[in-house]
Amino acid sequence: MPPPDFDYLPSTVTRSAKLLVTGPFGVGKTTLVGTVAPLVLRMDEAMTEASLGVDDLRGTPEKTTTTVAMDFGRLHLNESLVLYLFGTPGQVRFRPLWEGLADGALGALVLVDTRDLDRCHDVLDLLEEYGTPYAVAVNRFDDGTDYPLHEVRQALDLAEATPLTTCDARDRQSCVGALITLVEYLSARRLEPSP
């Protein structure tokens, strides 16, 4: 069966949300968006010698492409809610592009890799700077260590209210679960009384 027309939205859709899928280079953002959204726009380019010494391939030595603009996918979370997912580039040099993608986003799902949690601080700082609410999902890599979530929370210095979960960017159910965690968090924040 061919995929549905991208412009088509069922009449039952009454709400939509723009969300970022972000994190450092090589953490699985493109994989996650492609896993959950059947209609994806990818803007990847082959990595060249110019990235040698700039892009850290220690955790992903087989990586041959990198996102240079964005990944885009649309996920119908239920019959009335559609999520527009914008995967960001992971390198700091693409910050101006990230800023444009963040405009109008309700929140972000930050993917992290336990093999190098320190690389996540730039992304978390950027979200804090822009006041973008976020949830964090530890992407499970086959050769990564499964630390208890309270240790990951402490290492990332996350606020207690910040949702922290796990996923495998190759597994649709766990990725959708991480996105649902983010959506529930954003919904709860909207219902909180203003200070």
Side-chain angles (χ1 to χ4, degrees), residues 188-195:
R189 283 175 53 96
R190 290 187 67 145
L191 296 175
E192 290 175 0
S194 299

Side-chain angles (χ1 to χ4, degrees), residues 133-146:
Y134 59 88
V136 175
V138 177
N139 187 13
R140 304 256 186 214
F141 285 88
D142 294 337
D143 61 343
T145 303
D146 289 335

Side-chain angles (χ1 to χ4, degrees), residues 25-26 47-48 51-66 115 119:
F25 172 76
M47 296 180 67
T48 65
S51 70
L52 292 176
V54 176
D55 295 330
D56 185 356
L57 293 174
R58 282 178 292 176
T60 54
E62 69 286 348
K63 188 170 178 60
T64 60
T65 62
T66 186
R115 298 174 300 177
R119 294 187 311 138

Side-chain angles (χ1 to χ4, degrees), residues 17-21 83-87 104-109 179 182-183 186:
K18 177 183 179 181
L19 301 176
L20 298 179
V21 176
L83 302 181
Y84 294 102
L85 305 175
F86 290 81
L106 295 181
L109 180 66
L179 288 166
L182 171 62
V183 169
L186 296 173

